[in-house]
Amino acid sequence: MSKQRIAALFGRPDALKATPQDPEFWIEEVRLLKWFSPDPAEQIRKPITFQKGLNIIWAPSPRMDQREEINFAGHAAGKTTLCRLLRYLLGEQNIAAPGVKEAIEDNFYNGWIVGKIHVLESTWIVARPLHHATRPRARCVRSDSFDDLLGHPEKTLSIDDFHNELTAVTIAPLPVKLFGDGIAAITYAHVLEWLARDQECHLTKLHAFRHTDSKAGSPDLSAEASYFLQRVILNLADPDLQEAIADCEKLEKKEKAIPDEKTYLLRREKELNRHLERTSIKHERAPLFSEIEIVIARKDTNQQEEKETQNTRDAIKMAKEVRTAIRSKLASLQEQLGAIKANANMAKGAMNDAQETVHALNGKEINWEIEKEKARKLPPSDFCRVPRHLAKECNLFCEWNVLSENEENAEELLARQKREAAKSFGLSKRNFEGLDTDRKRIEKEIKSAESSATRIDKKIESLEEKLRNLRVPFGTIRTTIDDLEKVIEKLEILRKRETELKGKVEEAKALQEKLQRAHKRTEDLFVDEYGWTVAKIFGGKDTTIKCRFTREQITTKVSYLGKDLTSSAVNALAIFCFDVAAMAFSCRGRGFHPRFLLHDSPREADMGEAPYGRIFDLIIEQSKEKPNFQHIITTTTNPPEEYQTLPYLRLKLDSSESKGRLFNQDL
C-alpha cells in the first residue's frame, strides 16, 4: 500500500466535526529548586512557563560578524538538558546523559524539578529529585497550586497515580494494547519515546526514538516494534490485524528456526553415516542411508555379529586343541627328561668311579697281597683256568683277570689295568656326555613348549575376552543406527513442517495484507495529511511524497521535480513532518496521538533557513484557533522574527555567560 501525493492535486483532509479540545496532557509550568521548598529564594531560576500550541526554547548561536567577541554560544546552554528534565518529569528514569547527570547532582545535591502538568481535565503538581540518592523518588498531588505540594509534602500521592492517569489517556483509547508478538504490552513509556525523541538520534530514522548514548532508561524498542507503535497510534491497526500480525510473527519465528534445526540434523546425519562407514556397515562411496537402508544395516549388523562370534569361538576351539597337544608333548618331554636325568646320574657315577680308578693306577706299583685278595673275591671256580693263548680259541672265551705269579709279571699287569681303566673311563664319559646332551635338548624343547603354551593361554584369554565384549562394539553400532533412524525421521518431519509452515506463513501474510487494506481509507487520509505537511515545509507543488505502510515498516520518500531528495537535512525534515502530521491527524479528529510533541534542535547543519522557518509557520497555522496540542521545540538557529517574543518564545538561553545557562551557572 503506497501513496504518492502532490500538494497541488491533493488537498489536506477535512477535519472531523468532533475534534478534541485539549491535548491528552501538556506542561504548563516548570520550576527548578535548590531545596524542596515553596520559598521563591530556593528557585534556581525563574519558573519556565509553557502554553498550548507552539513553545520555543532558543539559545542563539553567534553570527559570523560576532566571531571575534563570542567564543561559544547556542550549544551547551541547556536546551537538551531541559528536554531531558521534561521527559524525567513525565516519567522517564534518568534526568540527563552521563556527564551532565553527574554535574547536576554535584551542584544540586538537594535539588528538585517541579512541574504543573495537565492530564485532560485533571491538573497535577509533580516533583522529582535531581539526585539519584534522594528519597522519595517522586512526589505528586492533584492540584493547580505548587504550594499544595511544596508546602505540604506529607500529603503527596503515589507517583503511580499520576502515571496511571497518563496511561489512561494515552493507552486506553488504543484499539490494540499489545505489540505484534501478542505478548508485550504497549505502555505509556513506549508512547513517550516517540513524542520526545532523543536529540542524539538527529531525526535520522523514522523508527529511531532512543539512542544508546542518552542512557534514558526507556524500554527497548526494535525498529519493527517502533513502526508497529506508530501504526497503532495512527489507527492503522486493530485487534484482528494485531492477531494476524502476531500469528504471522509466530509462524515466521518457527519458520526461521527450521534452518538451524535442519542444519544440525543434516550435520548429525553425515556424522552417523561416517561412523557406520568406519564399522564397515556402510560403504564409503554409498549415498546417505535412508529408511530402507536402516533395515538392511540392522540385518548386516546382526549377521556381522554372528559371524564375528562364530569366528572367535572357532579360534578359541582351535587354540585349545593346540594347547592340549602342547601340554601332552610337554608331559612326554618331562617324562623323558626324568629318565635321562636318572641315567645321566648313573653314568656320571660310573664315570667318576672310572676316573678314580685311572687316578689310582697312574704312578703306582702292584701290591701282590692286594691282588691276591682280589683274586679270592673273583667269581667261583666254574670259570675255566685254561691258559689265555689256548682259551682264546674257545667259543666261550671270557677273559678274567686272574693274577698268577706264573702268567704275567707285575709291569704287564699294571699296564693292562691302566689301559682297561682308561677305556672304561672313556666309555662312561661318552655315555654321560651323550645323556647330558639329550638332557639339554629336551630341556630346550620343554622351555619352547612351555613358552608356546603360555602364548596359547594368552591367546585363548584374549579371544575369550573378545567374545565376552563382542556385544559392546555391536551395541554401539546398533545405537548409531537407532540414532540415525531418529535423525532421518526428524528430518522427514521437519521437511513436512517446513512445507506446511511456508504455506501457513503465506496465508497469514495474505490475511494480514487483507486486513491492512481495510485501513486503506484511514491510511489515505494520513498520507494526504503528511503530503500536505511536507508541501508546506518544502514549499511548492513540485514536491512529491511517497509513504508506504507494510507489515514490517513504514517508508517515506520526498521528491522534487521527480528526483528523490536524500540529504540528511531533507531526511530530518521528512521525519519531522511525519511527527507533526501524526499530531495534526489527531488534532483534526483522527488517530490516537496524545497531541504532545517535544523536538530537540531538529535542524540539520545544511538545512536552509527558509524551510526551517516554515516549520514554525506550520505549527502556528495548526494553532490559529484554540490550540488543542502542545509542541515544544528547541533551536540554536534564529526562529522567524515574529516568533522571537511571547507568547511563542518561552525561554531564551545563552551559553556565552554563566547566568544565561539553564541552571544560571556553569556545571
Side-chain angles (χ1 to χ4, degrees), residues 225-252:
S226 297
Y227 288 130
F228 183 82
L229 176 68
Q230 289 171 322
R231 289 201 303 273
V232 170
I233 291 176
L234 291 173
N235 196 23
L236 297 178
D238 58 29
D240 292 338
L241 179 58
Q242 183 202 23
E243 184 179 354
I245 292 174
D247 290 343
C248 194
E249 287 182 346
K250 289 177 183 177
L251 290 170
E252 285 181 323

Side-chain angles (χ1 to χ4, degrees), residues 144-264:
D144 60 359
S145 171
F146 282 85
D147 289 346
D148 285 347
L149 179 63
L150 297 176
H152 305 281
E154 73 282 356
K155 295 182 179 180
T156 183
L157 300 176
S158 169
I159 193 64
D160 290 339
D161 295 333
F162 173 63
H163 290 158
N164 289 340
E165 196 155 311
L166 283 173
T167 298
V169 299
T170 57
I171 303 302
L174 299 180
V176 174
K177 304 297 192 298
L178 301 176
F179 282 100
D181 60 5
I183 299 174
I186 299 173
T187 68
Y188 158 72
H190 293 120
V191 176
L192 182 61
E193 291 187 39
W194 183 21
L195 306 184
R197 296 175 184 264
D198 271 343
Q199 198 275 339
E200 291 84 355
C201 292
H202 298 295
L203 295 175
T204 54
K205 295 178 181 177
L206 193 62
H207 64 79
F209 304 153
R210 289 290 177 267
H211 196 282
T212 54
D213 290 347
S214 73
K215 306 295 182 184
S218 299
D220 290 333
L221 274 177
S222 65
E224 191 171 343
S226 297
Y227 288 130
F228 183 82
L229 176 68
Q230 289 171 322
R231 289 201 303 273
V232 170
I233 291 176
L234 291 173
N235 196 23
L236 297 178
D238 58 29
D240 292 338
L241 179 58
Q242 183 202 23
E243 184 179 354
I245 292 174
D247 290 343
C248 194
E249 287 182 346
K250 289 177 183 177
L251 290 170
E252 285 181 323
K253 187 176 181 180
K254 291 179 180 179
E255 188 180 31
K256 288 176 182 177
I258 284 179
D260 292 338
E261 188 177 356
K262 190 175 179 181
T263 299
Y264 166 75

